[in-house]
Amino acid sequence: MKAFPMFIKTTDRRVIIVGGGEQAAQKARLIGKTDARIVLAAPELDDELAAMVRAGKAEQYDGPLTEEFFADAAMVFVASGCFAVDVSAYAVARAARCLVNVVDQPNLCDLTTPSLVDRDPVVIAIGTEGTGPVLARQIKTKLEEQLPRNLGGLAALAGNLRASVAANVPRAKRRAFWAWVFGGAPLAQWARGAEAHAARAIKQAIARGGAQEAQQEGSVAFLGVSPGEADLLSLRAVQRLQEADVVFCSPDHGSDVLELARRDAERFTLTLEARDNVLPLRRDSDRLLAESRRGLRVVHLGAKCPTRSDSVQSHLAMLELEGIAAEIVPGPVQPTLAEPGICQSVFLPVPDQQIAAAKSKQSIL
């Protein structure tokens, strides 16, 4: 490695950005994700940076760039847009022993900004030492797809519960406990949006003195998707299919949708009434409940949007009584006539009188 990856503390520290234009604004957006004191060193600021100052998210400095000004800064970004100013600011900041990044000048950079996957407080930094920024973005995209958007909330909860774990979970069991939290049922529940359910399970495990991973809790996800709509599924819907242990589906759902499910997932065919999320027959209802009681992750595929289904609402009430986590994953959004720029064909029924008149006219001709 030519550069060592590390994290720099920003709490109660200044980060100086030299410049007041778009390049400086890009760095301000990045550092604005931290709790650093952002100092904008420029006589004039563009509208975005000026708004940050008015909102108290940054402060402006329009004095001379001296060693005293740069002293004790956590880091300095130089982005004035003028090469001469950039080189001068770099020299002064380096004399003050600061770590400096000069935008678009790799030879004048003591530090570089990586691609970030932000799940605060979980942060992943991706760098290629300048050799492949496109590759870094592609890696970032893959990680963004794989990591739940709400993962940071679970990490924050774990941080808040560490003292409780230390007091209640024997030291020998703590590693297994945290492995269960971040790799077992709690993570799966949290990722599907059942944060309260996951938090309750974690706290109960702490009270018991450790995790019992063998007792995996079941869940049910209701997905609305018609045959041939696989390319319209949301990322969350695809994730649920890939996690599923059991899939309830209609015979009409072909390989386009089912290919997205786990290959070893067990499949049950819904009865006619259940295909469109209409109240299913008792056999389907009992089987769905039985599979989730076994601790399996169940996906129910219906052709209609589950948010508009009375039967799904009754299922949710039943699962809540059983203490089983359940969620609705909305199906593809269908265009309506109210949406601008979208045309649809509308077929209106023709009255019988008009049909009879048309036939009579044809016979005359």
Side-chain angles (χ1 to χ4, degrees):
M1 292 186 296
K2 296 180 180 179
F4 185 77
M6 63 187 302
F7 291 90
I8 301 173
K9 287 188 175 181
T10 55
T11 303
D12 296 327
R13 302 187 68 186
R14 293 185 307 150
V15 172
I16 298 173
I17 301 175
V18 178
E22 173 56 27
Q23 288 185 332
Q26 293 173 7
K27 297 302 181 184
R29 293 178 208 132
L30 179 64
I31 302 303
K33 297 180 179 181
T34 73
D35 58 357
R37 289 175 49 209
I38 300 176
V39 180
L40 302 170
E44 296 182 0
L45 303 177
D46 71 6
D47 293 341
E48 180 182 357
L49 295 176
M52 289 183 63
V53 173
R54 289 194 299 271
K57 297 180 180 178
E59 56 189 84
Q60 183 180 8
Y61 172 83
D62 60 358
L65 301 180
T66 63
E67 291 185 30
E68 291 75 15
F69 168 65
F70 288 114
D72 299 326
M75 63 192 90
V76 176
F77 293 95
V78 181
S80 71
C82 173
F83 180 74
V85 173
D86 286 353
V87 172
S88 176
Y90 170 78
V92 178
R94 288 289 287 121
R97 300 180 182 275
C98 288
L99 295 174
V100 187
N101 173 283
V102 181
V103 175
D104 294 334
Q105 298 294 331
N107 295 331
L108 299 180
C109 290
D110 304 307
L111 55 85
T112 57
T113 53
S115 293
L116 296 178
V117 178
D118 187 1
R119 299 291 189 272
D120 186 32
V122 178
V123 179
I124 300 173
I126 307 161
T128 62
E129 296 184 350
T131 61
V134 173
L135 174 61
R137 286 195 295 271
Q138 290 177 344
I139 296 172
K140 169 184 167 67
T141 299
K142 291 184 180 296
L143 290 174
E144 291 281 6
E145 293 173 351
Q146 294 174 5
L147 297 179
R149 298 298 304 176
N150 59 353
L151 178 62
L154 180 59
L157 174 65
N160 293 334
L161 293 176
R162 281 198 170 275
S164 180
V165 171
N168 295 279
V169 179
R171 182 182 296 275
K173 294 184 177 181
R174 289 177 196 167
R175 183 180 295 275
F177 171 80
W178 290 119
W180 170 73
V181 169
F182 293 115
L187 176 62
Q189 293 166 356
W190 195 280
R192 67 173 57 94
E195 288 97 339
H197 199 85
R200 184 166 58 251
I202 293 171
K203 293 177 182 178
Q204 289 173 349
I206 293 174
R208 291 194 304 264
Q212 296 180 0
E213 176 61 8
Q215 298 179 358
Q216 176 178 302
E217 297 189 35
S219 63
V220 180
F222 294 95
L223 276 60
V225 56
S226 296
E229 290 186 342
D231 59 328
L232 300 179
L233 285 173
S234 66
L235 177 59
R236 176 175 294 189
V238 174
Q239 288 174 335
R240 297 300 174 267
L241 283 167
Q242 293 176 348
E243 296 167 353
D245 300 305
V246 181
V247 177
F248 285 78
C249 58
S250 163
D252 298 330
H253 283 108
S255 59
D256 63 329
V257 175
L258 295 178
E259 275 294 323
L260 298 174
R262 281 176 49 191
R263 293 187 182 276
D264 56 345
E266 190 172 3
R267 300 177 185 179
F268 291 111
T269 302
L270 292 168
T271 51
L272 181 62
E273 291 84 353
R275 295 184 191 182
D276 297 329
N277 285 331
V278 179
L279 187 63
L281 295 180
R282 187 69 185 178
R283 178 177 63 85
D284 295 321
S285 181
D286 289 345
R287 181 172 289 175
L288 185 147
L289 182 58
E291 297 300 326
S292 56
R293 278 175 175 167
R294 290 172 54 200
L296 301 180
R297 289 164 292 194
V298 179
V299 166
H300 179 286
L301 288 175
K304 289 185 178 179
C305 180
T307 57
R308 302 176 183 175
S309 169
D310 293 336
S311 66
V312 169
Q313 298 303 321
S314 66
H315 272 310
L316 291 174
M318 174 189 66
L319 294 168
E320 183 177 359
L321 289 175
E322 294 286 335
I324 296 172
E327 67 173 327
I328 288 179
V329 181
V333 177
Q334 300 297 335
T336 64
L337 291 176
E339 294 178 350
I342 297 214
C343 295
Q344 289 183 324
S345 298
V346 179
F347 297 92
L348 300 176
V350 180
D352 293 339
Q353 297 88 338
Q354 292 186 21
I355 296 176
K359 289 182 177 179
S360 174
K361 186 175 181 180
Q362 278 186 335
S363 62
I364 295 174
L365 294 175

